[in-house]
Amino acid sequence: GENVGLHLPTLSVQEGDNSIINCAYSNSASDYFIWYKQESGKGPQFIIDIRSNMDKRQGQRVTVLLNKTVKHLSLQIAATQPGDSAVYFCAETSGGSYIPTFGRGTSLIVHP
Amino acid sequence: NAGVTQTPKFQVLKTGQSMTLQCAQDMNHEYMSWYRQDPGMGLRLIHYSVGAGITDQGEVPNGYNVSRSTTEDFPLRLLSAAPSQTSVYFCASSGLAGKLTGELFFGEGSRLTVL
């Protein structure tokens, strides 16, 4: 896969604020996108995914937005809590591949 | 289900030593893979397998060997450890027949230090 990157390496927010984590990708053939959360000392954990035929998908307190025109993906976390503090990775696959390409990650720090 | 189980969680090796990181999954997943995670580098794919008896190289395969004799197990072997292999290693699995997706299930990681 081609490069999948993040705009900000670290994001600090106050508890209760909304958080937005951004991700840019360069492969125009990417058709499946995933966000993972990695807490300290643990393996990454799936949060939410979206396919390229959608531009928005909502989960519990999280929303993923996909803008294929500018090849941009974002993860919005509503009412951020200290337990949301973690590193967040975006990943993408294309052409039905099950081998995702990961971005470098954004560290989210939530201050009580 | 235990999910993806990795052992050991921590290991210290001397340069030149060999060892095997174990990975087992109980979800009947066809796809298994090994990643290494280094500070500021994200997750880099070492080797992967799409089923028993089938393995292939990822982005950073040098210095590592894998085998897949069963669906459940996917060990990663370091034949002659080097300090550059100091890292956190993650095993991940995905997919059932006909339902392969990009969602990976990760183990808790194995932290390896090579002196």
Side-chain angles (χ1 to χ4, degrees), chain B residues 20-21 32-34 46-49 54-58 61 63-69 73-79:
Chain B
T20 300
L21 299 177
M32 296 186 74
S33 55
W34 277 102
I46 304 171
H47 284 285
Y48 65 96
S49 168
I54 306 170
T55 64
D56 209 342
Q57 296 181 348
Y64 308 96
N65 278 356
V66 291
S67 60
R68 186 91 180 271
S69 56
D73 300 298
F74 191 45
L76 178 71
R77 296 183 185 86
L78 284 72
L79 300 178

Side-chain angles (χ1 to χ4, degrees), chain A residues 38-57:
Chain A
Q38 185 178 25
E39 297 177 7
S40 180
K42 296 188 175 181
Q45 195 169 22
F46 172 87
I47 302 173
I48 192 168
D49 60 357
I50 189 168
R51 297 202 176 272
S52 58
N53 61 353
M54 303 172 68
D55 53 22
K56 180 178 180 180
R57 191 168 188 212

Side-chain angles (χ1 to χ4, degrees), chain A residues 38-95:
Chain A
Q38 185 178 25
E39 297 177 7
S40 180
K42 296 188 175 181
Q45 195 169 22
F46 172 87
I47 302 173
I48 192 168
D49 60 357
I50 189 168
R51 297 202 176 272
S52 58
N53 61 353
M54 303 172 68
D55 53 22
K56 180 178 180 180
R57 191 168 188 212
Q58 289 184 294
Q60 188 177 10
R61 282 201 306 116
V62 295
T63 300
V64 56
L65 298 177
L66 175 63
N67 185 331
K68 295 180 288 294
T69 302
V70 296
K71 300 191 187 70
H72 184 267
L73 188 70
S74 68
L75 178 71
Q76 300 179 0
I77 305 173
T80 313
Q81 302 167 0
D84 295 325
S85 293
V87 176
Y88 291 81
F89 293 94
C90 65
E92 56 87 17
T93 67
S94 59

